[in-house]
Amino acid sequence: MTQPVSPPRDDTHKVPPAREHTSWRTLAARADVRTLSLLGVLAALIVIGGITKPDEFLDTRNLQLVLTQASVIGVVTVGMTFVITSGGIDLSVGAIVALSSVWATTVATQEYGFAGVLFTAVLVGVGCGLVNGLLIAYGAMVPFIATLAMLASARGLALQITDGKTQIVSIDGILKLGERDSYVLGIPPLVLVFAVVTVIGWLILNRTTFGRRTVAVGGNAEAARLAGIDVRRQRLYLYLLSGLCCGIAAFLLIILSGSGQNTNGNLYELDAIAAAIIGGTLLSGGRGTITGSVLGVLIFTTITNIFALNNLQSDVQQIAKGAIIVAAVLVQRRSAQTT
C-alpha cells in the first residue's frame, strides 16, 4: 500500500529575517557612524582649543558664549534642514532675520513691550516664509530664484526701515534675558530656546506624518504626489516653518545684541546650509538629520571661536569652512554611489 505523499513546501514567499531588516539596519548604522564622526570632530576641536588657549577657551564664560552664538544660527539651521530635506533651498534666511529684527525694534513696535517685539519678529518671519512658499509651491518658481529675490527685497526693506542706523532696544525684559542673572543653572536662556526648538524639530522630522511627507517629497516629488501627498501644500508649510525659525532667531539675536540692525544675519544662509550638509542632510533631498545639523552648527561655531581666540584672520576661517563643506559633499556623493 502506497503512503500518501505530502505536497512540496513552497517557501519562496518567505523573506529571511536578516534580509528583511537589512536596509533599515544599514541606514541606522550609517547614521550612527556619521553622528560619531561629527562628535569626534567636535571633540578634536575642543582639544585643539584647550591646547592653544587653555585658560581662555575652557573658561566657563567662553563656553557659554559659544553655545549662545550657536543658538541663533542653530534655530535657523533647524528650519533649513527641513527645506533641504524636501529638495528645496532657502537663500533668504539671513535677510529675513535682519528684516524681522529691525521691524521688531522700531520705536512704534517697542511701545507694545516684550510681547509686541516677539510677536512682530515671528510674524515678519512667517510672512516672508509665506511669500517664499507661495512663489515656489503655487507660482512654480525655482527655489533658488524665489529665495534669492526675497534675499534682495528683505535686505533692501531692512535698510529702508533703519536708514542704515542701529535701533537700540529699551525694553528691560528683553535686555535682562541677555544678562548672566537670567541664566538657568548656568545655561543662557537662548541656549534653552535652541534646545527646545531642536527637540521639537527632531520629533516632527522623525516621529510625525509631516516629517515622513517631507522626506518623501525630497526623495521623489512625483512618487509622493501619486501616493496622495499634496506636494505643493507640503512645500508651502516647509517655507512657513523656515520663516518661523527665522523669526525666532531674530528675537534671540535682539536679546543677544540689544539692538536691531539691517546687517543682522549676514551670511546666515551659507552657515545654515553648510551646517546641514556636513551634518548629513542630502543637498538633493530625501534625507535629513536634525542631530547632525546641530552638531554641524556647534562645529562651525567652535571653529570661529578658536580662530578668534588665536587672533587668526577671518579669511583663513572662511577657507577652512569652505574646505569642510567640499569634503562633506564629496563624502555624501561617495556614500550615494556605494548604495
Side-chain angles (χ1 to χ4, degrees):
M1 182 175 180
T2 60
Q3 297 292 331
V5 180
S6 58
R9 296 174 60 187
D10 184 10
D11 293 328
T12 57
H13 66 285
K14 296 183 178 180
V15 180
R19 293 183 180 179
E20 184 178 355
H21 300 291
T22 298
S23 58
W24 70 262
R25 284 180 177 174
T26 302
L27 291 175
R30 287 177 179 172
D32 290 340
V33 171
R34 184 167 54 248
T35 301
L36 290 174
S37 300
L38 292 171
L39 286 172
V41 172
L42 183 59
L45 289 173
I46 293 174
V47 170
I48 293 173
I51 293 175
T52 56
K53 292 288 183 178
D55 296 333
E56 299 176 31
F57 180 79
L58 298 178
D59 183 71
T60 302
R61 295 198 175 192
N62 183 64
L63 296 179
Q64 289 172 337
L65 175 63
V66 171
L67 291 176
T68 301
Q69 292 175 338
S71 298
V72 180
I73 185 61
V75 172
V76 175
T77 303
V78 170
M80 182 69 78
T81 300
F82 277 90
V83 171
I84 296 179
T85 301
S86 71
I89 198 72
D90 191 348
L91 301 179
S92 63
V93 291
I96 294 176
V97 169
L99 180 59
S100 299
S101 69
V102 300
W103 205 323
T105 54
T106 59
V107 175
T109 303
Q110 292 193 52
E111 290 181 355
Y112 293 93
F114 186 102
V117 173
L118 173 59
F119 177 76
T120 302
V122 172
L123 183 62
V124 173
V126 172
C128 292
L130 176 63
V131 174
N132 280 336
L134 290 175
L135 290 176
I136 294 167
Y138 295 95
M141 289 188 67
V142 177
F144 181 90
I145 300 299
T147 57
L148 185 62
M150 176 59 72
L151 183 156
S153 301
R155 282 289 179 193
L157 185 55
L159 179 59
Q160 186 178 47
I161 291 175
T162 62
D163 194 24
K165 300 176 182 178
T166 299
Q167 298 179 162
I168 305 299
V169 175
S170 58
I171 303 172
D172 292 337
I174 294 178
L175 297 175
K176 288 181 179 178
L177 288 176
E179 298 175 356
R180 296 184 61 84
D181 293 339
S182 64
Y183 289 10
V184 180
L185 300 177
I187 303 175
L190 276 68
V191 179
L192 296 177
V193 173
F194 177 36
V196 171
V197 172
T198 299
V199 171
I200 294 175
W202 186 90
L203 290 174
I204 292 175
L205 185 60
N206 296 281
R207 293 291 184 269
T208 66
T209 303
F210 183 87
R212 290 191 290 271
R213 288 175 179 172
T214 300
V215 174
V217 170
N220 191 322
E222 180 61 20
R225 186 186 66 82
L226 294 175
I229 298 175
D230 191 333
V231 175
R232 293 190 299 178
R233 185 172 60 185
Q234 184 70 17
R235 284 174 175 162
L236 173 62
Y237 289 162
L238 288 166
Y239 282 95
L240 283 173
L241 177 60
S242 179
L244 173 62
C245 289
C246 289
I248 296 173
F251 185 71
L252 297 183
L253 193 55
I254 291 171
I255 295 173
L256 184 61
S257 63
S259 64
Q261 304 176 50
N262 66 287
T263 56
N264 282 343
N266 187 35
L267 297 181
Y268 272 19
E269 56 277 357
L270 299 183
D271 288 342
I273 293 171
I277 291 175
I278 71 168
T281 299
L282 282 180
L283 191 57
S284 57
R287 188 184 73 197
T289 162
I290 298 296
T291 303
S293 296
V294 170
L295 290 174
V297 169
L298 293 175
I299 287 173
F300 277 134
T301 308
T302 305
I303 290 175
T304 301
N305 184 259
I306 292 174
F307 274 59
L309 291 177
N310 286 275
N311 296 320
L312 297 176
Q313 297 180 357
S314 59
D315 55 351
V316 180
Q317 173 186 328
Q318 297 301 326
I319 293 173
K321 285 185 177 181
I324 293 174
I325 295 171
V326 171
V329 173
L330 290 176
V331 170
Q332 283 190 359
R333 292 188 60 183
R334 185 174 182 84
S335 300
Q337 292 173 354
T338 57
T339 56

